[in-house]
Amino acid sequence: MPRRIFITGYGIISCIGNNIDENLSSLLRSKPGLGKIRHIDTLLRDELLVGEVSKTQDDLFAMAGIAPVEGYSRNALLGIIAAREASLQGRLNENPELKTGLISATTVGGMDRCELFYNDFLTNDTRNAHIDSYDCADSTERIASLLGIHDFITTISTACSSAANSIMLGARMIRTGRLDRVLAGGCESLTKFHLNGFNALKILDKDPCKPFDQQRAGINLGEGAAYLVLESEESLEKSGNEPLCELVGWGNACEAFHQTASSPDGTGAYLAMKKALDLSGLQAGDIDYVNAHGTGTDNNDLSEGRAIEKLFGERIPKISSTKPFTGHTTSAAGSTEAILSIFCLQHQVIWPNLNFREQISELSFSPVEKLLTNVPVNAVMSNSFGFGGNDTSLIFKKAGEKSKIVNRKS
Amino acid sequence: MEELIEKLKKEVIEQLNLEDITPDDINPDSPLFGEGLGLDSIDALELIVLLEKNYGIKIEDPKDGKKIFHSIRTMAEYIMEHKK
Amino acid sequence: MAFINGIGLISPQNTIGSREFLSEVVEYTADYLKCIEPVYRTYIDPIQSRRMSRLIKMGISAAKISMAEAGLTMPDAIITGTGLGSVEDTEKILGEITKEERFLNPTPFIQSTYNTISSQVAIQLKCHNYNSTYVHRTFSFESGLIDGLMQIEEQTASHVLIGAIDEMTMNHLQITRRIGQWKMHPVSNMTLLENKTPGALAGEGAAFFVLGVEKTGTTYADLKDVKTCINFNGSFKPEMVLPSFLGNHGITMHDIDLVLLGTNGDHDFDPVYDDFARQFFPGKALGWYKHLCGEYHTATGFGLYIAAGVLKNQTYPGILHLNHVTPPRLKNILIYNHFRNVNHAFMLVQGV
């Protein structure tokens, strides 16, 4: 019987809330967080709708409990805030004998400062404190250092599936006995760099995105950070933590089709979902809800839609994309949406796919339009598909009765 | 028009880094995408940048690119029509 | 554990094509050691390579070379480690958006994403299997190896393709010189240790390895294990991990024949290697390799190539010698690397 993986802590900051409770509240009130860019000086400021965290750099320092000092990127601060929330709930500062890892994910790294100070880097020494904060490892090491995690640390970057891959790696390291518990997730701040990059690809929507809609016109980029605490059964016995849910399946596959597009039939998406399902031991019919990647691009939604049809056949579960709420948080999307999916298990709700009007003509299903409450949700699937065709799917199951899992500490 | 076509050939070769191709290799009426030069969707986006940067013509919807970038000649004709 | 059955390496040395191991060592006096690049059309269709930046061409070529050697057409997993990704493309975009924020070309943006190498290798091979990219400084390659070894242990893969790739540019060198990472002027790689100044000699490289469950006719060595250790304010001491790291494979420090150190000419940080060797491996043969490839986040890729070559050829060329001890045999090699005394990593490699 393979080692079971439980989620015992979570932390998040996004445009719809600065912590778990605020994010949940926004979702329950169907309040999305998209708006115009406020914290970046860019020509795209008035053109695009984004999911920007409503805090300045100074606000974020205060929330992270750090006195403002050179060298911290916005990305690192977002990561620290969310990671700390998860770590506190998961009580990672207790039981130091438990082998604990941090697996984070990012693609922008410290680019939010680097792009501001690049000309200084080239010409003078005034911004040297930011030079080695530029890379992807910086935010990870700052988080690990502040939270006292040191048994295993790494950073993944696979574009929009990054944070889901962090969670998957964490689960595998626990299952193979290398670690007892893992803080896994990702962080990504908005940057002029990737706002312009995505804009050059012409896949951004100036209006609120419309995933799975026939008239969909692209992505709204977002920013944020989100982390989960994963624990083995044996770790639970020592920590005495309450499982929020169980992680039962994971799968990763590659489209291998094109650098920025998925194949029309969604081969990679299908393979990733199938691997996760097979590993979970569940049947397709056991999945109550799919939190889709659903970016709102022509290509993704059709491709993902076809893959879903192929996997689920006639009995397609309830499906929605929550990106109209949070924006597409790219390297943090996998863990952000994992948390939103876990909310569904905990509260027996299904999130609406906002802005939907018209079914995609080539697909046989429509997403959920209205918030559903008091619905049976026992197993959810969360999809994250990235540039370069990196596709990952995670399956979470409702936590069983306390006494069925472990013997509790009294 | 012929002058513009020759200029465009050189610009396309440079923008798309078609190292092994000379302007003489490109037939102005041959399809650029699919067969012919075998260009793809990213090349189409690069050509959109070329049109904006060198000719001040902005294409908002990449789907329009299919018609405009069919061949060097259709590109030239579009530029003549829309150049500011 | 897994067998190293194929290696593809593009480096500042003559490491492409079948050549005698370290037969022609290249000397440099340079700001940084730059790769000797192949004719790319040998490995990549020119219609595809026209859009690829240097880093991607190096990666795909090295990947293909390693697969050809191993006789593998389809890996079960493709994993890349890179500390900085495509510096050239990132600089292009930064240059554009800090100068004038308009007319950004999509191509460099796509290529600046760190997982572009893993994904383009997959596209070349039409490989739908597991794919990942690690981007954690000098843990990048090691993380990839740990992932690959786990896949084999989990029996989700029989053959894994793992890459270690980073590039240097003059721009990036000048920026990072400001924080003391590199020598401030061109130096000779052959007299690097006589320099006794702070900063390392920078380099670059692309190394791909095919790891397999079975020993074959092309096997170099057995990669037994890999471990990464972070040192926050003295939290890490080698004695905390080394005995069990070796002991898990029935090996003690006494059984190690050669220690390959990541000594890189940085007078501020090379003493960490000296102290390590003195404390744990007194009297043992000590070797080094960064005078051949330079320092970069995934330089242990070159180091693993060296260890594999030493074990396969059963030869320990003089160019690698750091001290004057001759190993009595060549069976167990420990590779030890650290980055500014924060990121420490070990690899245990055994002859077959």
Side-chain angles (χ1 to χ4, degrees), chain A residues 374-397:
Chain A
N374 297 313
V375 287
V377 185
N378 293 306
V380 299
M381 172 183 276
S382 179
N383 290 339
S384 298
F385 304 143
F387 268 1
N390 197 294
D391 298 338
T392 300
S393 189
L394 303 171
I395 297 178
F396 298 92
K397 219 171 102 174

Side-chain angles (χ1 to χ4, degrees), chain B residues 15-20 37-40 42-43 45-46 49 52-53, chain C residues 41 46-47 49-52 57 96 102-108 110:
Chain B
Q15 185 87 348
L16 305 185
N17 205 27
L18 300 168
E19 283 171 347
D20 288 340
L37 287 179
L39 307 182
D40 71 4
I42 296 178
D43 293 308
L45 293 171
E46 292 286 357
V49 175
E52 197 177 348
K53 210 168 180 172
Chain C
R41 66 178 61 223
I47 295 191
S49 73
R50 64 186 171 86
R51 183 185 294 147
M52 292 177 187
K57 286 191 276 201
E96 292 281 339
R102 292 199 295 168
F103 315 134
L104 187 71
N105 296 85
T107 302
I110 295 163

Side-chain angles (χ1 to χ4, degrees), chain A residues 230-402:
Chain A
L230 285 65
E231 283 192 71
S232 66
E233 284 173 87
E234 297 90 336
S235 177
L236 269 191
E237 281 183 42
K238 296 203 174 112
S239 67
N241 282 334
E242 195 69 47
L244 303 172
C245 68
E246 187 176 356
L247 173 61
V248 295
W250 51 83
N252 171 277
C254 191
E255 277 287 346
F257 178 74
H258 185 273
Q259 261 304 95
T260 55
S262 306
S263 60
D265 60 0
T267 306
Y270 169 76
L271 288 170
M273 293 192 285
K274 176 110 183 27
K275 278 190 198 182
L277 197 59
D278 289 345
L279 186 66
S280 72
L282 299 171
Q283 303 298 314
D286 295 324
I287 303 293
D288 298 303
Y289 167 56
V290 177
N291 182 295
H293 187 57
T295 55
T297 61
D298 256 349
N299 179 253
N300 176 81
D301 294 0
L302 179 58
S303 175
E304 184 176 8
R306 288 215 171 103
I308 285 170
E309 284 175 342
K310 185 172 176 189
L311 185 71
F312 292 101
E314 303 262 302
R315 296 191 52 211
I316 295 185
K318 297 195 175 32
I319 307 212
S320 69
S321 164
T322 46
K323 289 184 169 70
F325 279 101
T326 58
H328 185 359
T329 54
T330 54
S331 302
S335 49
T336 296
E337 291 160 24
I339 289 177
L340 306 196
S341 302
I342 292 169
F343 286 160
C344 297
L345 293 168
Q346 291 182 288
H347 303 284
Q348 301 292 276
V349 297
I350 289 181
W351 307 122
N353 189 115
L354 300 178
N355 313 326
F356 174 80
R357 299 256 183 298
E358 188 189 342
Q359 184 169 305
I360 295 175
S361 55
E362 296 99 318
L363 295 181
S364 65
F365 68 90
S366 288
V368 169
E369 287 183 64
K370 296 261 178 296
L371 172 67
L372 300 176
T373 56
N374 297 313
V375 287
V377 185
N378 293 306
V380 299
M381 172 183 276
S382 179
N383 290 339
S384 298
F385 304 143
F387 268 1
N390 197 294
D391 298 338
T392 300
S393 189
L394 303 171
I395 297 178
F396 298 92
K397 219 171 102 174
K398 202 163 164 223
E401 294 298 323
K402 262 203 245 180

Side-chain angles (χ1 to χ4, degrees), chain C residues 256-258 284-286 310 316 321 324-330:
Chain C
I256 297 294
D257 304 305
L258 168 63
K284 289 285 183 185
L286 306 174
V310 164
Y316 179 40
H321 296 198
H324 301 296
V325 176
T326 307
R329 62 166 192 188
L330 291 168

Side-chain angles (χ1 to χ4, degrees), chain C residues 121-240:
Chain C
V121 171
I123 290 170
Q124 292 274 312
L125 304 176
K126 299 209 184 329
C127 178
H128 295 300
N129 299 325
Y130 180 87
N131 195 292
S132 198
T133 301
Y134 293 94
V135 292
H136 197 108
R137 294 180 181 155
T138 59
F139 286 171
S140 306
F141 178 48
E142 285 74 353
S143 300
L145 289 175
I146 290 170
D147 186 347
L149 290 174
M150 269 204 314
Q151 301 252 357
I152 287 173
E153 188 185 308
E154 290 164 291
Q155 298 184 328
T156 51
S158 301
H159 303 97
V160 187
L161 179 64
I162 307 181
I165 177 164
D166 269 298
E167 67 172 355
M168 179 50 82
T169 66
M170 212 44 222
N171 221 29
H172 186 76
L173 186 82
Q174 277 159 355
I175 291 173
T176 42
R177 263 176 172 159
R178 293 184 188 283
I179 52 173
Q181 271 190 20
W182 315 113
K183 299 288 180 216
M184 295 304 285
H185 305 287
V187 296
S188 157
N189 64 330
M190 290 299 150
T191 57
L192 189 55
L193 296 184
E194 292 163 38
N195 222 274
K196 299 197 194 309
T197 53
L201 172 60
E204 57 175 20
F208 267 81
F209 298 83
V210 172
L211 298 187
V213 287
E214 278 165 5
K215 193 174 153 208
T216 68
T218 61
T219 297
Y220 281 79
D222 182 357
L223 176 63
K224 304 297 284 185
D225 209 348
V226 177
K227 187 155 180 71
T228 57
C229 310
I230 196 91
N231 183 26
F232 290 136
N233 301 316
S235 62
F236 163 74
K237 304 223 178 314
E239 57 265 33
M240 289 157 60

Side-chain angles (χ1 to χ4, degrees), chain C residues 2 39 48 51 53 99-100 116 123-124 186 206-207 230 237-238 240-241 246 250-251 288 337 347 350 352:
Chain C
V39 174
Q48 294 167 329
R51 183 185 294 147
S53 62
K99 195 172 57 201
E100 186 193 6
T116 194
I123 290 170
Q124 292 274 312
I230 196 91
K237 304 223 178 314
M240 289 157 60
V241 303
L246 300 177
I251 289 172
W288 70 315
N337 191 60
M347 291 187 208
Q350 197 173 71
V352 296

